[in-house]
Amino acid sequence: MDTLIQIAYFAAAILFILGLRRMSSPVTARTGIHWAGAGMLVATLITFFWPGMENYLLMTAAILIGGVAAWWTGQRVAMTDMPQMIALYNGMGGGAAGAIAAVELLRSDFYNDTFLVLALVGGLIGSVAFSGSLIAFAKLQGWMRRPFRFPLQHQFNLLLFVVTLGLGVMLATSDETGGTTLLLFFTLALAFGILKTLPIGGADMPVVISLYNALTGLAVGLEGFVLNNAAMIIAGTVVGAAGTLLTQLMARAMNRSIANILFGHFGGGEGAAEAEVEGSMKPIDANDAGIMMAYASKVIIIPGYGMAVAQAQHKIKELMNLLLERGVDVKFAIHPVAGRMPGHMNVLLAEADVPYDRLYDLEEINAEFPQADVALVIGANDVVNPMARNNPESPIYGMPILNADQAKNVIVIKRGQGKGFSGIENALFFEDNTRMLYGDGQAMVGELINAIKQL
Amino acid sequence: MIEGFTALYIFMLSAFTGYEVISRVPVILHTPLMSGSNFVHGIVLVGAMVAMGHAHGPLELTIGFIGVALAAGNAVGGFVVTERMLEMFKSEKEKA
């Protein structure tokens, strides 16, 4: 049986890696998740035959409870709410790694002290990923509107972390097992995850979720060593590394370091330098905007989080079809951090059946803006702010942006005159070639469609 | 028991694999891929099962139970949302 289990785990590890590889190309992505799913199924089923196990009835019940609840919520969640669901499921994985560590530490039957230390480290990381992900979920779900801050917060968090580590050292060096020290260790680890995530603003949540995803992977890998489980070691470490790279890519796209996100106070808007912008915002009505687009030869659409909030992606697809019928070249410009996660816009547009070959990355599309007759900005803000290019005073200076301001005309669909998520004034809105179309994203795109149909 | 340098080698090679697999990913697949990798660490389920299978006494059993339920949620939820997202990735040709 032992050999059979090892063969199954080996197969699962291969299926995971091949699955992830297939997921990295749009052509094969859909089969990739099925490959990984097959690996998971094989590994889970064979584990029932692990020698010397008990509690099968309760175990099956636990799998059913967790599985059915996740299946039910996963099928129902709207595409716009995907980021927080990923945070939630990721947190559950971290919690499971923490639970494994707790059980193993209570049993205290380690091969040698190295494995005791690995269990402690994995438990600490898993617990932080668990409670931190839950806070990220609550923030994105809108249950927690304001970042929670108090004086000397970073110093307090650091102290908390050091005390937690100290307890870990105590547990590793003393012969005492379980008891109060262990309880305190996990309680403080969970508290640290909460307090670490609370002050981070909503705009930075994608990077934070990605970071916790990597941490959960690492925790799973470490607990894999403790349990002598090769499938967990390989899958967990692969995710830990891949997640770390993804986190770096995301942070780089925002021109911020991971340290800055974790220790800075930018995402909530406080402390952002006020840069004065000259000029005024010039409104336009939907009819004029529609005519402008209908007679253009090239239109570039720039979606942002506002599109997700307004659920405007289906209307945008309709607008695209209408313009294509009139012979207008329509392209979508996707900023890497538009929305709440990298690729968030792509998922929403894919939901509305916009073919992915019409979506272009920042590098691919930026050279085309000068030839575009109209750049339509819908619900995007900071990612098109030219201050990132030309105002060294601005907090977003240096961030790569979409050069929408270089298009001949810019139309911005925006709910009101307020500032964006980051609280920074957007110079694009005050440019001479920019016109503001005020209103709800979905309603305004609807009016644009009507205006074009009436021509 | 996997230990010592063998453990280090496995760790190093796995980390390298993870880095390489993701480094060629286009931006449009970042969210599905993050979700996919979130599903893959749902493998924690097998560990949670083993831990619970060897648990004794009500405390260990309760923690084990919570661990298995959470891990199953990670695996199943991760699969469902990733599949739903990837289901939508079709090119213009496939849609015709």
Side-chain angles (χ1 to χ4, degrees):
Chain A
M1 205 63 224
D2 253 5
T3 322
L4 207 57
I5 290 175
Q6 291 309 326
I7 292 172
Y9 281 178
F10 186 70
I14 290 176
L15 285 168
F16 286 152
I17 292 170
L18 290 180
L20 280 175
R21 203 186 141 85
R22 292 183 81 81
M23 273 187 247
S24 59
S25 153
V27 186
T28 55
R30 279 181 291 159
T31 55
I33 183 66
H34 295 134
W35 285 48
M40 190 69 74
L41 200 62
V42 167
T44 309
L45 289 179
I46 202 77
T47 305
F48 277 102
F49 299 99
W50 190 281
M53 291 215 305
E54 295 161 39
N55 313 322
Y56 279 110
L57 199 65
L58 277 172
M59 194 187 296
T60 313
I63 293 175
L64 284 178
I65 290 172
V68 170
W71 182 270
W72 196 80
T73 50
Q75 291 289 359
R76 262 152 199 78
V77 62
M79 277 298 149
T80 36
D81 293 338
M82 275 306 168
Q84 51 262 49
M85 289 318 284
I86 296 176
L88 185 64
Y89 297 138
N90 173 56
M92 294 171 91
I100 293 173
V103 172
E104 291 302 311
L105 288 163
L106 284 169
R107 285 180 61 214
S108 195
D109 178 24
F110 293 102
Y111 184 72
N112 65 35
D113 281 351
T114 314
F115 292 95
L116 168 63
V117 173
L118 287 176
L120 282 167
V121 176
L124 171 64
I125 296 174
S127 305
V128 171
F130 172 65
S131 57
S133 293
L134 292 187
I135 298 295
F137 167 80
K139 278 181 179 257
L140 288 178
Q141 190 73 10
W143 293 350
M144 258 180 220
R145 286 261 168 235
R146 292 156 50 88
F148 170 80
R149 282 160 198 168
F150 54 84
L152 295 176
Q153 193 161 13
H154 291 309
Q155 287 80 349
F156 181 81
N157 285 348
L158 185 70
L159 182 72
L160 188 62
F161 187 68
V162 170
V163 173
T164 316
L165 278 187
L167 286 171
V169 172
M170 271 173 66
L171 285 166
T173 48
S174 76
D175 287 331
E176 168 220 18
T177 59
T180 343
T181 322
L182 193 62
L183 180 67
L184 206 58
F185 173 74
F186 278 106
T187 310
L188 289 188
L190 291 171
F192 178 73
I194 293 171
L195 289 171
K196 190 65 237 168
T197 319
L198 277 175
I200 301 172
D204 284 331
M205 273 309 139
V207 183
V208 175
I209 294 172
S210 177
L211 181 69
Y212 286 141
N213 184 40
L215 285 180
T216 304
L218 186 61
V220 171
L222 291 172
E223 297 307 327
F225 281 110
V226 176
L227 296 171
N228 195 29
N229 187 316
M232 276 173 79
I233 297 175
I234 295 170
T237 314
V238 164
V239 172
T244 307
L245 178 62
L246 191 56
T247 312
Q248 281 170 350
L249 290 175
M250 292 164 70
R252 205 177 299 149
M254 299 165 83
N255 194 40
R256 312 195 44 214
S257 69
I258 294 167
N260 186 262
I261 287 166
L262 292 179
F263 302 107
H265 275 168
F266 169 84
E270 285 177 20
E274 268 311 308
E276 284 299 317
V277 184
E278 307 219 335
S280 61
M281 299 197 208
K282 295 161 282 289
I284 191 172
D285 69 35
N287 267 324
D288 293 343
I291 291 167
M292 203 190 265
M293 292 171 73
Y295 291 104
S297 60
K298 183 172 194 168
V299 172
I300 299 177
I301 300 175
I302 304 163
Y305 188 63
M307 179 188 83
V309 173
Q311 297 275 9
Q313 61 269 32
H314 297 281
K315 284 280 177 201
I316 286 180
K317 151 86 174 169
E318 208 180 322
L319 177 68
M320 176 192 86
N321 284 346
L322 216 51
L323 290 171
L324 287 175
E325 278 166 26
R326 298 184 63 97
V328 182
D329 181 20
V330 183
K331 288 183 174 175
F332 288 83
I334 312 291
H335 191 277
V337 295
R340 288 293 177 272
M341 300 180 82
H344 194 187
M345 293 299 116
N346 307 79
V347 170
L348 294 178
L349 291 170
E351 185 197 14
D353 271 348
V354 175
Y356 64 77
D357 15 30
R358 293 215 167 264
L359 312 183
Y360 293 87
D361 282 358
L362 183 107
E363 292 86 9
E364 296 171 314
I365 198 85
N366 257 349
E368 297 192 29
F369 277 107
Q371 289 104 51
D373 301 294
V374 177
L376 177 68
V377 178
I378 167 156
N381 194 339
D382 294 330
V383 298
V384 290
N385 192 343
M387 280 208 245
R389 257 195 346 253
N390 52 32
N391 185 352
E393 307 271 290
S394 171
I396 57 166
Y397 181 71
M399 177 171 107
I401 57 154
L402 292 163
N403 298 328
D405 55 317
Q406 293 171 358
K408 292 180 192 109
N409 297 287
V410 182
I411 298 169
V412 178
I413 299 180
K414 202 170 175 300
R415 219 191 287 252
Q417 301 202 343
K419 292 167 192 169
F421 210 61
S422 63
I424 302 163
E425 203 72 81
N426 192 334
L428 176 72
F429 303 161
F430 299 87
E431 298 271 341
D432 288 335
N433 57 342
T434 303
R435 295 290 178 274
M436 307 298 289
L437 185 55
Y438 291 117
D440 171 73
Q442 191 174 338
M444 283 303 123
V445 177
E447 287 192 22
L448 284 177
I449 291 170
N450 288 338
I452 296 171
K453 274 184 180 162
Q454 279 163 18
L455 288 174
Chain B
M1 205 75 199
I2 303 165
E3 58 168 334
F5 274 99
T6 317
L8 269 180
Y9 279 124
I10 294 177
F11 187 76
M12 185 268 286
L13 290 172
S14 303
F16 192 72
T17 306
Y19 212 82
E20 276 300 301
V21 158
I22 210 178
S23 61
R24 283 177 290 251
V25 174
V27 176
I28 67 163
L29 280 170
H30 274 181
T31 296
L33 192 84
M34 174 154 142
S35 178
S37 60
N38 174 43
F39 164 68
V40 167
H41 68 53
I43 190 68
V44 70
L45 175 59
V46 304
M49 286 168 71
V50 172
M52 186 183 175
H54 293 136
H56 293 289
L59 180 61
E60 285 178 26
L61 204 56
T62 309
I63 299 173
F65 187 88
I66 294 170
V68 172
L70 287 175
N74 182 186
V76 174
F79 183 82
V80 171
V81 297
T82 311
E83 218 222 357
R84 278 186 59 195
M85 271 191 259
L86 289 176
E87 209 33 57
M88 301 177 310
F89 277 80
K90 293 173 183 142
S91 69
E92 211 148 14
K93 210 167 54 196
E94 284 174 85
K95 274 173 187 150

